[in-house]
Amino acid sequence: MRSNFIKILLIAVSLYAIIYPFITEPPEKPEPVEVPEVIVEIPEVELPEQPLHDVQLPDFASIKDIATKKKTFFDFIKPHVEAENKVILQQRASIEIALMMLQFDESLSDVQVERVETIFQLYKLDQEEITVESLKLALDRVDIIPKELALMQAANESAWGTSRFARIGLNFFGQWCYRAGCGMIPKRRADEAAHEVAAFKSVRASVTSYFRNINTHDAYRELRAVRAQLRADKKEITATALTPGLMSYSERGQDYIEELNDMIRHNKAYFDEE
């Protein structure tokens, strides 16, 4: 009897297991939980702008003592300014000798002609012939810029060598260029503007470009006229005598001129150092 009972129990359990899924309701599926989308904004890391040159510049920005910073800046730029003025005086001498020879009805040598024609090209003098008149015109352009003026414009335009354009492109004079890729695009340039800030491979190239700009651009014709008159009167060519001719150099106009004059006066001690 006991064994029969166990068999009956096993059969009952098996049958219950078979019919259980059909007699019970399936459990309710849990409703999906909406997980809010989390957007993590990763801030863009602005990489340092790489210099467009191989020149090792002094870290002007790290020099906290004003006198030391000024002296370091002048010591860095002044040799290039003085070297450029020396070259210009040599070019001017070539023009003066050629002028004197023509005034005495002497012919120029082939070497002289080639030298004068090269100078004409450098200073954008569109002259088909070398004459007394064209040589006199050349003398208005082929002349020095006082080191005090060049140095103070460099300091002003480059914020004493700390500006982006000075550090990245060796542009110490705020010079523009108008060919795509010729320099650096100003961050605040108007949408319709096309100019760039010129970049140079050497400090000397930057200084030379500045001198050539002052000595050839129509905007500085007045400066050259004042300088020529000082020459004619056998007077010293001073920085403050020429600054009024830079009215077009900055949108600030007269304020820019007055600031330059103040800077020239306040930094006189540095100019006289050898």
Side-chain angles (χ1 to χ4, degrees):
M1 289 293 293
R2 183 178 177 81
S3 61
N4 288 337
F5 176 77
I6 293 173
K7 288 180 180 180
I8 293 171
L9 182 61
L10 291 174
I11 292 171
V13 170
S14 299
L15 289 173
Y16 183 79
I18 292 173
I19 66 174
Y20 177 78
F22 300 100
I23 63 175
T24 60
E25 295 182 1
E28 294 183 0
K29 294 182 179 179
E31 294 184 2
V33 178
E34 293 186 5
V35 179
E37 183 180 2
V38 179
I39 300 175
V40 179
E41 294 187 3
I42 301 176
E44 293 185 7
V45 178
E46 187 174 349
L47 298 176
E49 192 173 10
Q50 295 301 309
L52 302 175
H53 58 85
D54 298 322
V55 177
Q56 187 65 41
L57 291 174
D59 187 1
F60 296 113
S62 68
I63 304 174
K64 303 307 179 185
D65 181 71
I66 295 177
T68 302
K69 176 180 286 190
K70 287 183 176 183
K71 186 177 187 308
T72 303
F73 181 80
F74 289 136
D75 288 347
F76 183 75
I77 298 290
K78 185 162 61 175
H80 301 283
V81 171
E82 292 175 337
E84 190 63 29
N85 271 330
K86 183 177 180 180
V87 169
I88 289 175
L89 288 177
Q90 292 170 345
Q91 295 169 336
R92 185 176 178 85
S94 296
I95 298 295
E96 289 175 329
I97 292 171
L99 175 60
M100 182 179 63
M101 291 179 65
L102 291 187
Q103 287 174 330
F104 283 93
D105 294 326
E106 296 184 25
S107 299
L108 304 181
S109 68
D110 292 341
V111 173
Q112 284 180 297
V113 169
E114 182 178 356
R115 184 179 298 130
V116 170
E117 288 179 344
T118 299
I119 295 172
F120 279 7
Q121 291 176 359
L122 288 175
Y123 288 85
K124 300 180 181 180
L125 290 159
D126 187 16
Q127 302 294 321
E128 295 182 359
E129 297 182 30
I130 299 175
T131 63
V132 169
E133 289 72 22
S134 65
L135 290 170
K136 287 182 177 179
L137 179 61
L139 288 175
D140 287 346
R141 295 192 175 194
V142 187
D143 209 343
I144 65 167
I145 297 173
K147 66 181 180 182
E148 295 87 350
L149 179 55
L151 291 173
M152 276 346 315
Q153 282 204 272
N156 187 291
E157 296 290 338
S158 72
W160 297 94
T162 64
S163 72
R164 170 197 173 209
F165 301 127
R167 291 182 292 101
I168 303 302
L170 297 178
N171 190 331
F172 293 91
F173 298 93
Q175 299 171 89
W176 290 5
C177 56
Y178 295 90
R179 177 176 48 82
C182 63
M184 299 159 283
I185 298 176
K187 293 181 179 179
R188 297 179 181 177
R189 186 180 71 175
D191 293 338
E192 66 277 8
H195 71 276
E196 297 183 13
V197 177
F200 302 94
K201 295 297 185 182
S202 69
V203 180
R204 181 62 185 276
S206 177
V207 171
T208 299
S209 178
Y210 159 76
F211 271 73
R212 202 66 49 77
N213 182 35
I214 298 298
N215 279 332
T216 62
H217 201 288
D218 282 345
Y220 313 115
R221 184 180 298 175
E222 179 185 342
L223 181 149
R224 297 192 295 270
V226 171
R227 184 177 59 186
Q229 190 59 53
L230 290 172
R231 283 284 187 193
D233 296 339
K234 301 188 184 306
K235 294 181 179 179
E236 181 184 3
I237 300 175
T238 64
T240 52
L242 300 187
T243 52
L246 293 171
M247 192 71 71
S248 298
Y249 204 96
S250 169
E251 294 177 351
R252 296 169 56 209
Q254 186 60 38
D255 289 340
Y256 179 70
I257 303 305
E258 292 176 3
E259 184 174 58
L260 282 180
N261 288 336
D262 286 341
M263 293 177 73
I264 291 167
R265 285 191 291 268
H266 292 156
N267 292 280
K268 181 174 173 54
Y270 296 97
F271 304 142
D272 296 334
E273 292 181 355
E274 296 297 333

